[in-house]
Amino acid sequence: MVLIVGAGLFALSGSNDDNAAVPTTAPLSSTTVAQSLTESGLPAPKPKAALVSCTYAAGTGPADKPVTKPERIEVPTTGAAAAVNMSMRTSAGSIGLALKQAESPCTVNSFTSLVQQRYFDGTSCHRITTGAGLKVLQCGDPTGTGMGGPGYQFANEYPTDHFPVGDPSAQLPVDYKRGVLAMANAGPDTNGSQFFLVFGDSQLPPQYTIFGTVDAEGLATLDKIAASGSDETNGPGDGKPKVPVEIESIQLGS
């Protein structure tokens, strides 16, 4: 079925009526997650130009928290500048992030800009799904409703950009593996600030930009959040986290 909640859209294989379950998979390192991506039906990442030009267009509404579009629009994909690590401190624990600027440079550039402007600080993770087909925690909306954003939007990157336009296989579900960090959207090329963290292998069409991975400590934090479940306002296994999760800060560096 297709489940749409405000600006966050997820298409999943199966039904959200599946019994909620906390994944029992052992935590994976970021390296292991990266190696497993191509085993999930996703295409292998293709090398990009050493410098990528990014476009950030006006969104459908104003920013829901004071913020500006990224000042940098020429983004490197190689060398030390492309290695971006972050530490996300939440009310439930720390979550380390390794961002993939070589594969999704414009997404990482936007996320980094939002972090530097403290856009995410003091915001809540507004949705968790724990069904058999989708195990994600969704964050990045200052309004906490699933409708908020930064007032600008930008195009999908990996893996969407690896499929030819009109390719029917781009609508078939693949595995977004445990440990993946990806963007939520409301349709093609509508990325803004909402993102999701995958705590259990999930089935989605490759229409959600993957731009990083979660470290082992972060996966343990996500498992703890998932164990508390959702308030099921969107149906069984889908709603706001039963125990509220607030992003206290996100900082550059591991």
Side-chain angles (χ1 to χ4, degrees):
M1 64 178 293
V2 175
L3 181 61
I4 302 176
V5 180
L9 178 153
F10 290 119
L12 60 150
S13 175
S15 168
N16 67 331
D17 292 336
D18 297 308
N19 293 328
V22 177
T24 56
T25 308
L28 302 177
S29 68
S30 294
T31 301
T32 303
V33 171
Q35 291 173 340
S36 70
L37 287 180
T38 54
E39 300 171 3
S40 65
L42 291 167
K46 301 174 184 176
K48 292 184 178 291
L51 200 63
V52 172
S53 295
C54 301
T55 300
Y56 302 101
T60 57
D64 290 291
K65 185 176 180 179
V67 73
T68 60
K69 292 190 292 186
E71 293 183 359
R72 183 178 67 168
I73 59 172
E74 302 292 327
V75 184
T77 63
T78 60
V84 182
N85 293 307
M86 295 187 181
S87 178
M88 184 165 75
R89 189 175 68 183
T90 79
S91 56
S94 296
I95 299 175
L97 305 174
L99 275 54
K100 296 179 174 293
Q101 190 159 298
E103 298 170 13
S104 298
C106 297
T107 304
V108 173
N109 185 53
S110 171
F111 194 81
T112 301
S113 173
L114 293 172
V115 165
Q116 291 173 329
Q117 296 181 71
R118 306 180 71 87
Y119 179 85
F120 298 114
D121 293 7
T123 64
S124 62
C125 294
H126 61 275
R127 183 185 182 196
I128 189 167
T129 60
T130 57
L134 192 64
K135 296 182 174 69
V136 305
L137 177 69
Q138 189 170 335
C139 315
D141 173 12
T143 72
T145 64
M147 300 292 289
Y152 67 85
Q153 59 189 23
F154 55 96
N156 290 6
E157 293 185 287
Y158 178 79
T160 313
D161 60 3
H162 284 43
F163 292 85
V165 176
D167 185 348
S169 62
Q171 304 303 323
L172 299 178
V174 296
D175 286 333
Y176 277 60
K177 291 287 190 179
R178 172 174 162 87
V180 158
L181 170 67
M183 294 297 293
N185 62 56
D189 304 330
T190 59
N191 300 286
S193 61
Q194 293 191 41
F195 61 94
F196 60 95
L197 307 105
V198 183
F199 57 84
D201 292 356
S202 299
Q203 286 279 299
L204 292 164
Q207 298 297 317
Y208 304 92
T209 297
I210 294 172
F211 68 103
T213 55
V214 179
D215 70 0
E217 181 184 16
L219 286 170
T221 297
L222 291 174
D223 286 344
K224 181 170 69 173
I225 295 169
S228 297
S230 76
D231 64 7
E232 302 195 335
T233 53
N234 300 326
D238 186 2
K240 292 181 179 293
K242 189 173 291 184
V243 177
V245 179
E246 180 176 290
I247 297 176
E248 297 170 352
S249 67
I250 304 181
Q251 298 179 337
L252 288 168
S254 54

